C-alpha cells in the first residue's frame, strides 16, 4: 500500500473516532512520548556515570601498574582479575606480534592494541568477557613499542545498569498509564461544555423545544472565559433568538387566525345572504354587496400585511439612493388625498434638503404611509398632523430624522411598550378601522433599512413617532 493510501486510511479512522477519544489519545501519546524520552535519557545518564566510575578505576590501576613496573617486557604483570574482589589484571603488549611471550595472557589482544603500542592510536576502553564474566579493559601507551592493558570485572556495573533499566521501564510504564488517565480526564473536563452543547442540540432536535439552555461554568478569579465557554454562550444566545422567533411565529399564527376569523365569518354570512337574493329587496342586496366588498378589501389588506411582515429583509437588487425630502412630500400628498378632512403640515429643515439614504423606495413609502394613516386616524377635527424632516448629530455623517406627530389622545403609559407588537390595539383604537399590523410593519421596514422607529407621548398631548436613520 502506498504512503498516501495509508495516510488516507489513518485520516478516515480519525474521523470515525469521537472527538473525546481522539483528544484522549493525543494527550496520552504526547505525555507517553515525553515519559519514554525522559526515561531513556535517564538510562543513558546512569549508564554513562557507572562506566565513568569504572573507567576512572582502570586509569588509576594502569598508572599504578606503570609506576610499579617501569620498562617491563611484554607479558603478564598481574593476572588475578578473574575474581570479583581481585585487583586489576595488567599485561604489556608489544607492537610487533613476533615479540609476544610464549605463554599468552588472560586479556585479548586485537590489532587496535598493536597500534596503541606503536603510537598510531590513542588509548581506548573496551567491554570484554573474562572467564565467563563481564569485564572492562583499558588499552593505553606504556613505553616505546609497547602498550599496557588493564582490566577489571564489571559485574557490579552491569547489574547496576540492569537494575536502573528495570526501574526506568517501570517508571515509563507508570508514566504511560498516568498519561492515559490524564488524557481521559482532560478530554472529559475540556469537552464537557461541548458534550452539554451536543446533548442540548439533540434534545432540541428531538423535542423541537428551543427553551433548553447549556449550563455555563462560573467565571474564574480573572473573569475571563475560554473558547469552549464562549461557544456555549453563543449557542445559548442563538437558542434565545430561536425561541423568540418561534414564539413570535406562533403568536403571529394565533393572532392572524383570530383576526381572520371575524371577517371570514362576515364574508360567509354576506355570501350566503346574497345567494338568497330573490328574497331580498334591492336596498338589502345593495347593502350586502357593499359589506361583502368592504370585507373582501379588509381580508385582502390583512393578508397582504401578513405577507409583508413575513419578509425578513429588503431585496438587495431593489435598493437605491432615496431622497428623503421628496419621499416625504410624495407621501404627504398621498395622505392628503386619502384623508381630505385632515390637515398635514410638512417642515423640511434646511440641512435635510437633498439628504439621501440607501433603501427600497416602495417600502419606505409604505412605512411613511402607515405612520401618516395612524396619525390621521387619531387626529381630532381641526388639528393638524405635523411631519418634520431634520438632520441630527454632528460630524462628517449626521443622521436624518423624521417625526410624525398627531394631536389626538396620545399613547397611554401602559400601551407604550406594545404599540409595535403585531395585532396589538390600544383600548382607544379598538373601535377604529385597522388590523393592528401597520405599526409592526413600519418598525420592521425601518430595521431592515438600518433605522430605528420609536413612539413617545408628545409634549402638549398626542403621539409622536420618531424615525432615526
Amino acid at each position: 500500500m502506498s504512503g498516501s493510501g495509508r495516510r488516507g486510511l489513518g485520516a478516515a479512522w480519525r474521523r470515525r473516532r469521537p472527538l473525546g477519544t481522539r483528544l484522549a489519545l493525543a494527550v496520552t501519546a504526547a505525555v507517553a512520548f515525553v515519559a519514554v524520552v525522559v526515561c531513556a535519557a535517564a538510562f543513558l545518564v546512569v549508564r554513562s556515570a557507572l562506566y565513568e566510575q569504572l573507567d576512572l578505576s582502570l586509569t588509576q590501576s594502569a598508572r599504578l601498574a606503570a609506576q610499579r613496573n617501569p620498562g617491563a617486557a611484554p607479558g603478564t604483570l598481574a593476572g588475578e582479575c578473574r575474581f570479583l574482589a581481585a585487583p586489576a589484571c595488567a599485561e604489556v603488549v608489544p607492537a610487533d606480534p613476533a615479540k609476544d611471550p610464549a605463554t599468552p595472557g588472560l586479556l585479548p589482544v586485537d590489532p587496535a592494541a598493536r597500534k596503541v603500542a606503536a603510537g598510531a592510536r590513542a588509548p581506548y576502553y573496551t567491554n570484554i568477557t573474562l572467564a565467563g564474566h563481564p569485564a572492562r579493559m583499558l588499552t593505553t601507551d606504556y613505553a616505546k613499542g609497547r602498550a599496557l592493558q588493564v582490566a577489571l570485572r564489571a559485574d557490579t556495573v552491569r547489574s547496576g545498569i540492569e537494575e536502573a533499566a528495570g526501574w526506568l521501564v517501570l517508571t515509563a510504564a507508570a508514566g504511560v498509564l498516568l498519561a492515559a488517565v490524564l488524557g481521559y480526564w482532560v478530554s472529559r473536563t475540556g469537552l464537557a461544555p461541548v458534550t452539554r452543547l451536543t446533548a442540548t442540540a439533540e434534545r432540541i432536535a428531538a423535542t423541537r423545544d428551543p427553551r433548553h439552555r447549556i449550563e455555563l461554568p462560573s467565571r474564574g478569579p480573572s473573569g475571563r472565559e475560554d473558547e469552549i465557554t464562549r461557544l456555549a454562550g453563543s449557542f445559548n444566545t442563538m437558542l434565545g433568538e430561536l425561541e423568540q422567533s418561534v414564539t413570535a411565529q406562533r403568536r403571529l399564527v394565533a393572532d392572524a387566525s383570530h383576526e381572520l376569523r371575524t371577517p371570514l365569518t362576515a364574508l360567509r354570512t354576506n355570501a350566503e345572504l346574497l345567494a338568497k337574493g330573490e328574497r331580498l329587496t334591492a336596498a338589502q342586496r345593495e347593502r350586502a354587496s357593499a359589506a361583502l366588498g368592504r370585507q373582501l378589501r379588509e381580508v385582502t389588506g390583512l393578508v397582504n400585511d401578513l405577507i409583508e411582515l413575513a419578509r425578513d429583509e429588503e431585496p438587495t437588487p431593489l435598493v437605491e439612493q432615496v431622497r428623503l425630502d421628496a419621499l416625504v412630500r410624495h407621501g404627504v400628498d398621498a395622505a392628503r388625498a386619502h384623508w381630505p378632512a385632515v390637515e398635514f403640515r410638512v417642515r423640511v429643515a434646511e440641512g435635510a434638503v437633498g439628504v439621501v439614504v440607501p433603501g427600497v423606495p416602495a417600502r419606505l413609502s409604505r412605512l411613511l404611509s402607515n405612520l401618516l394613516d395612524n396619525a390621521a386616524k387619531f387626529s381630532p377635527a381641526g388639528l393638524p398632523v405635523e411631519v418634520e424632516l431634520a438632520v441630527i448629530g454632528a460630524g462628517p455623517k449626521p443622521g436624518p430624522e423624521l417625526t410624525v406627530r398627531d394631536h389626538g389622545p396620545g399613547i397611554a403609559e401602559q400601551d407604550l411598550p406594545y404599540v409595535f407588537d403585531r395585532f396589538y390595539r390600544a383600548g382607544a383604537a379598538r373601535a377604529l378601522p385597522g388590523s393592528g399590523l401597520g405599526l409592526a410593519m413600519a418598525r420592521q421596514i425601518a430595521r431592515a433599512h438600518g433605522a430605528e422607529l420609536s413612539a413617545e407621548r408628545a409634549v402638549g398631548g398626542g403621539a409622536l413617532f420618531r424615525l432615526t436613520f
Side-chain angles (χ1 to χ4, degrees):
M1 183 181 293
S2 65
S4 59
R6 285 193 296 270
R7 287 193 296 271
L9 287 177
W13 182 87
R14 288 193 296 272
R15 285 193 297 270
R16 288 196 297 267
R17 298 300 94 191
L19 179 59
T21 302
R22 283 182 282 164
L23 181 59
L25 289 176
V27 173
T28 301
V31 178
F33 175 76
V34 173
V36 170
V37 169
V38 170
C39 289
F43 172 77
L44 294 176
V45 170
V46 171
R47 181 176 178 274
S48 176
L50 291 175
Y51 273 119
E52 188 176 352
Q53 292 179 357
L54 184 58
D55 292 345
L56 181 60
S57 299
L58 286 173
T59 301
Q60 292 174 349
S61 298
R63 188 179 298 113
L64 183 60
Q67 291 175 355
R68 290 178 178 178
N69 304 280
T76 302
L77 300 181
E80 299 300 325
C81 63
R82 70 187 69 183
F83 304 108
L84 188 58
C89 294
E91 290 183 359
V92 177
V93 178
D96 186 2
K99 296 181 179 180
D100 285 347
T103 303
L106 293 174
L107 305 180
V109 179
D110 55 19
R114 306 290 183 181
K115 293 181 180 179
V116 173
R121 178 173 175 168
Y124 64 94
Y125 297 92
T126 52
N127 293 323
I128 62 173
T129 301
L130 191 61
H133 300 285
R136 190 163 176 83
M137 181 176 68
L138 166 63
T139 303
T140 183
D141 50 348
Y142 174 66
K144 186 176 181 181
R146 283 167 290 175
L148 179 62
Q149 288 186 324
V150 181
L152 281 172
R153 288 272 296 272
D155 302 64
T156 55
V157 173
R158 180 67 62 84
S159 62
I161 291 174
E162 291 176 353
E163 184 178 359
W167 282 108
L168 289 173
V169 167
L170 290 177
T171 303
V176 172
L177 180 61
L178 178 62
V181 174
L182 287 176
Y184 176 76
W185 178 80
V186 167
S187 66
R188 287 293 300 272
T189 304
L191 295 179
V194 176
T195 304
R196 292 196 295 268
L197 188 151
T198 304
T200 303
E202 291 173 348
R203 193 181 308 117
I204 292 172
T207 63
R208 306 184 69 84
D209 184 1
R211 290 176 297 177
H212 299 287
R213 296 292 184 273
I214 301 173
E215 254 182 63
L216 297 179
S218 57
R219 295 188 179 185
S222 63
R224 301 181 65 181
E225 297 178 343
D226 57 19
E227 290 79 1
I228 298 296
T229 304
R230 290 202 300 271
L231 173 62
S234 300
F235 192 77
N236 281 344
T237 303
M238 182 189 69
L239 288 176
E241 296 292 336
L242 178 62
E243 181 183 3
Q244 291 181 5
S245 176
V246 171
T247 302
Q249 183 183 24
R250 290 172 179 171
R251 187 170 64 247
L252 175 62
V253 172
D255 292 343
S257 303
H258 175 75
E259 292 292 332
L260 283 169
R261 187 177 294 116
T262 300
L264 287 176
T265 302
L267 276 173
R268 185 177 62 185
T269 301
N270 287 316
E272 291 174 352
L273 186 63
L274 286 175
K276 303 174 183 178
E278 69 279 358
R279 302 179 187 177
L280 303 176
T281 65
Q284 289 175 331
R285 283 197 300 271
E286 185 177 351
R287 283 198 303 271
S289 298
L292 186 62
R294 184 172 62 255
Q295 288 151 4
L296 279 173
R297 288 192 297 273
E298 183 179 347
V299 171
T300 302
L302 179 59
V303 171
N304 288 335
D305 288 345
L306 288 172
I307 293 173
E308 292 288 336
L309 282 171
R311 298 171 58 178
D312 289 333
E313 57 185 16
E314 302 305 324
T316 303
L318 301 181
V319 174
E320 58 183 87
Q321 295 297 322
V322 180
R323 182 168 168 172
L324 287 181
D325 57 343
L327 181 76
V328 168
R329 291 191 174 92
H330 179 271
V332 170
D333 290 342
R336 284 170 177 156
H338 190 250
W339 301 89
V342 178
E343 178 187 359
F344 290 88
R345 295 179 182 176
V346 181
R347 178 180 177 274
V348 178
E350 184 178 351
V353 176
V355 171
V356 296
V357 294
V360 180
R363 299 282 287 158
L364 290 175
S365 295
R366 183 64 182 274
L367 185 159
L368 179 59
S369 68
N370 285 1
L371 294 180
L372 295 175
D373 288 345
N374 183 79
K377 186 164 55 176
F378 289 98
S379 280
L383 295 177
V385 172
E386 300 173 6
V387 182
E388 181 177 359
L389 178 63
V391 175
I392 60 171
K397 291 185 177 180
E401 181 181 81
L402 174 67
T403 58
V404 177
R405 178 193 174 177
D406 62 64
H407 292 270
I411 305 172
E413 196 69 34
Q414 65 270 19
D415 292 330
L416 270 176
Y418 310 106
V419 293
F420 294 107
D421 289 355
R422 297 165 179 172
F423 297 108
Y424 181 80
R425 305 185 74 184
R430 296 188 187 278
L432 298 175
S435 62
L437 295 177
L439 293 179
M441 187 187 308
R443 170 169 275 189
Q444 178 172 298
I445 296 173
R447 289 181 173 175
H449 285 79
E452 185 58 36
L453 178 62
S454 60
E456 58 192 74
R457 295 166 61 88
V459 178
L464 175 67
F465 288 87
R466 191 184 305 275
L467 177 66
T468 306
F469 290 87

